[in-house]
Amino acid sequence: MRALHKIIPRQPAHWVGDGFNVYPVFGRHAFSESLSPWLMFDYAAPKHFPPTTAQRGVGQHPHRGFETITIAFQGEVEHGDSVGNRDVIGPQDVQWMTAGRGVIHEEFHSRNFAKTGG
């Protein structure tokens, strides 16, 4: 049996773009040798967004050398990347992106979710 190495207290939330208020689960330990140089884990707690015509989220940004996994518990997330992938995920959907040598991607609330709010 392995021993518990560290308990990481809840980290403060921060905004990713203007659409995702996330808690970095591993805080400053993400991307470190003590945890993993390829692991980052953010949690977006339930949050109400009023209806809008604005596109809320985070525009094009790069990732390289790790996997990104998005799980939608509520709402809808639209993802697009420089490889040509684009789709909307909703409740119980999973989106997996391999950044590999590098990819540019963007994530927004889906147009339908933005229009109706939730």
Side-chain angles (χ1 to χ4, degrees), residues 42-100:
D42 288 339
Y43 170 68
K47 183 167 187 60
H48 182 266
F49 290 92
T52 184
T53 57
Q55 191 175 34
R56 295 185 67 116
V58 59
Q60 293 185 346
H61 60 284
H63 285 301
R64 180 173 62 99
F66 64 97
E67 309 288 321
T68 68
I69 302 166
T70 303
I71 302 169
F73 295 103
Q74 296 175 328
E76 293 181 340
V77 178
E78 183 173 343
H79 172 272
D81 63 39
S82 58
V83 183
N85 300 305
R86 179 165 296 280
D87 206 353
V88 173
I89 65 169
Q92 302 179 9
D93 289 340
V94 176
Q95 185 268 326
W96 190 304
M97 181 183 76
T98 299

